[in-house]
């Protein structure tokens, strides 16, 4: 539930309302570490590094894992 709320608040604007389709860099097997690396690599995501913590990233990754088809 936390991951879904965080995704909706911070990710859906660019990655869509539901990550099920695996678009815009959202894919099965995404981990918190991959999300954290994206904060450094993707200009539009840099601000999130100061807003979200490691637990938030793990929650978002778990939500994405539950929704994206293999």
């Amino acid at each position: 539930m936390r991951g879904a709320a965080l995704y909706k608040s911070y990710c859906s604007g660019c990655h869509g309302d539901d990550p099920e389709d695996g678009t815009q860099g959202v894919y099965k097997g995404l981990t918190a570490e991959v999300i954290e690396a994206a904060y450094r690599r993707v200009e539009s995501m840099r601000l999130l590094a100061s807003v979200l913590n490691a637990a938030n990233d793990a929650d978002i990754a778990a939500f994405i894992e539950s929704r994206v088809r293999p």
Side-chain angles (χ1 to χ4, degrees), residues 7-54:
Y7 180 91
K8 182 176 182 178
S9 294
Y10 296 103
C11 310
S12 65
C14 294
H15 295 284
D17 290 334
D18 190 336
E20 182 178 17
D21 295 327
T23 60
Q24 298 289 344
V26 177
Y27 54 87
K28 193 82 168 166
L30 187 88
T31 64
E33 291 79 17
V34 171
I35 292 172
E36 291 164 11
Y39 297 157
R40 294 185 297 275
R41 195 177 64 253
V42 180
E43 179 78 31
S44 61
M45 292 181 69
R46 290 202 177 127
L47 177 64
L48 296 177
S50 63
V51 176
L52 299 171
N53 61 35

